[in-house]
Amino acid sequence: MQKYKMIFWGILPIVLLAAIITLIVKNGTGVQSNPAAPIEVLNIEKITLDYEKGFEVKVLNSGPEEVTIAQVVVDDSFWNAEFLPSDTLKRFETGTIKIPYPWVYGDPHEIKLITTNGLIFTGEVAAATDTPKASPELFWQYALIGFYVGIVPVGLGLLWYPFLRRFSTRGMHAILALTVGLLFFLVIDTFEEGLEMAGEAPGVFQGTGLVWFGALLSFLFLVAIDQSNGRKLVVISAQGKSLSYKIATGIGLHNFGEGLAIGAAFAVGEAALGTFLIIGFTLHNITEGVGIAAPLLKERPTWKTFVLLATIAGAPAILGTWAGGFIFNDTLAALFFGIGAGAILQVIYAISKLIFKQSADKGLSPVSWLNFGGLTMGILLMYVTALMVKF
């Protein structure tokens, strides 16, 4: 009997809460007020260009009310358009607008959508060119771009492993500190990219919150995995191989974001920007191989280990390039950048804990001038190579 009473008192508040919400939805709050202006939000998610067919605009109604598009204006001229499935969109419904406009290669164009309530939503094309169409050839080309940007530079960075093995314990700690510097720069960069994507995402999805929530939950999730595996995982991590895999995973998540940027640049026809990003990211990513190799300095890994590490860290750039080129979405990108930032933070935490533990065991200072120099050098390396990417 006591058991059923506990269940009753556990369920009763939920039932009453559901009843109150249902009552409010059906009867309202009792306060009669009309909005000063219609609440409509129409997000222009993607503009596709085809020289023969004109513009194809993908839109999302992320507002609380139904939206009807009354007119389409292109470069200050009213233009006919075809609406699929309809010119009226319910909340969270997506639609496609086909506009047979004779756009001009290289010219900027502006598209305005005017609703029946007179609200205007604008989309811009910076420099008009045909949008690449999905094909096996383009799929393969994007894969090669991701390979050059991700796997190749990380693999080249891992080639410094024999040189790094000559360092003493103090030297190895300095290299680990350098790794922390590299990752610290990456986590800041990842947060910045995520917040930028959040600003482009529909406000109703709270993109900024997705970045921070993704970072927090991924960080705590990875910490929980370490702790749940007990002492065995700690011993393996101290040997270095597990830590190298963690670093490679965190860097891989970041490189996925780099692939997104490259794929998105080519998808909107900015080939010059895409090429610039490829060169910059390739030079930028070679330093990441050093960070991955650092925890292995007391190990004797096989060549297969290095191939696997380079693949884990670099292959996500291929997936990112595909996603950016074919299915880019600002909201999901913001969430993914947040998850990547949290994963990198967990790796920084693990490396720092390893440095402090080994320093305590051997009577060394964990925050020595040598370690400080390594940390500073890692940040500077990433900063200087990032200058080749920023525009």
Side-chain angles (χ1 to χ4, degrees):
M1 189 66 180
Q2 187 67 24
K3 178 180 177 182
Y4 292 111
K5 284 184 178 180
M6 291 177 61
I7 295 174
F8 171 78
W9 287 113
I11 295 177
L12 180 62
I14 299 175
V15 174
L16 293 176
L17 177 62
I20 291 172
I21 292 176
T22 303
L23 187 65
I24 293 173
V25 171
K26 287 186 175 181
N27 301 321
T29 60
V31 179
Q32 300 297 326
S33 63
N34 296 319
I39 304 174
E40 295 179 334
V41 182
L42 195 63
N43 296 99
I44 298 178
E45 295 193 312
K46 187 176 182 180
I47 301 177
T48 303
L49 283 74
D50 185 292
Y51 190 72
E52 296 181 355
K53 298 179 180 179
F55 298 113
E56 185 174 290
V57 184
K58 183 179 179 182
V59 295
L60 167 69
N61 175 15
S62 61
E65 299 178 354
E66 186 177 83
V67 174
T68 299
I69 304 170
Q71 294 174 319
V72 175
V73 179
V74 183
D75 296 337
D76 297 325
S77 298
F78 290 96
W79 213 262
N80 293 327
E82 178 185 359
F83 299 92
L84 300 174
S86 170
D87 58 355
T88 299
L89 299 175
K90 298 179 181 179
R91 191 181 191 194
F92 296 135
E93 185 179 5
T94 60
T96 301
I97 306 170
K98 296 184 177 182
I99 309 170
Y101 184 82
W103 53 268
V104 180
Y105 276 101
D107 281 6
H109 296 282
E110 183 181 63
I111 301 173
K112 294 180 180 179
L113 306 177
I114 305 176
T115 69
T116 51
N117 288 315
L119 273 67
I120 300 175
F121 300 93
T122 304
E124 295 181 352
V125 176
T129 186
D130 282 304
T131 302
K133 295 180 176 61
S135 65
E137 182 181 2
L138 186 60
F139 193 82
W140 174 246
Q141 289 173 349
Y142 281 168
L144 283 178
I145 290 173
F147 178 77
Y148 294 143
V149 170
I151 296 177
V152 170
V154 172
L156 292 176
L158 287 170
L159 291 178
W160 270 311
Y161 172 76
F163 170 74
L164 298 176
R165 278 184 59 86
R166 300 178 180 273
F167 286 82
S168 62
T169 300
R170 293 177 185 271
M172 285 189 289
H173 283 184
I175 297 299
L176 287 172
L178 181 141
T179 302
V180 172
L182 299 176
L183 295 174
F184 184 75
F185 183 94
L186 286 180
V187 77
I188 296 298
D189 185 63
T190 303
F191 270 123
E192 288 182 346
E193 295 287 348
L195 293 173
E196 183 178 343
M197 292 296 103
E200 299 294 330
V204 69
F205 296 131
Q206 304 178 57
T208 301
L210 288 178
V211 175
W212 295 111
F213 296 149
L216 176 64
L217 294 177
S218 65
F219 174 80
L220 295 177
F221 175 75
L222 293 172
V223 170
I225 288 178
D226 274 0
Q227 294 179 350
S228 65
N229 281 283
R231 294 182 179 180
K232 182 179 179 181
L233 183 59
V234 175
V235 172
I236 294 176
S237 296
Q239 292 176 350
K241 185 176 290 187
S242 177
L243 190 53
S244 286
Y245 281 118
K246 290 181 185 178
I247 295 173
T249 301
I251 289 176
L253 291 172
H254 176 82
N255 287 343
F256 180 89
E258 294 181 350
L260 280 176
I262 295 172
F266 281 105
V268 298
E270 298 186 20
L273 173 60
T275 303
F276 185 66
L277 290 175
I278 292 171
I279 296 173
F281 284 141
T282 300
L283 294 172
H284 184 63
N285 290 348
I286 192 171
T287 56
E288 296 172 351
V290 177
I292 296 171
L296 297 172
L297 300 183
K298 289 187 176 181
E299 306 289 324
R300 292 192 175 277
T302 64
W303 65 269
K304 292 181 180 179
T305 300
F306 288 112
V307 171
L308 184 57
L309 288 170
T311 302
I312 292 173
I318 299 175
L319 301 178
T321 306
W322 285 336
F326 298 126
I327 54 172
F328 184 74
N329 181 285
D330 290 314
T331 303
L332 292 178
L335 174 61
F336 195 88
F337 274 113
I339 293 173
I344 297 172
L345 278 174
Q346 195 276 336
V347 176
I348 292 174
Y349 169 75
I351 297 175
S352 302
K353 187 168 65 173
L354 178 61
I355 293 175
F356 274 84
K357 183 179 182 303
Q358 291 186 351
S359 297
D361 292 342
K362 298 193 176 184
L364 301 174
S365 173
V367 191
S368 63
W369 283 110
L370 193 61
N371 290 353
F372 175 77
L375 177 70
T376 305
M377 181 60 68
I379 295 174
L380 287 176
L381 278 173
M382 297 300 281
Y383 179 82
V384 171
T385 53
L387 293 176
M388 303 174 186
V389 181
K390 301 299 180 182
F391 51 90

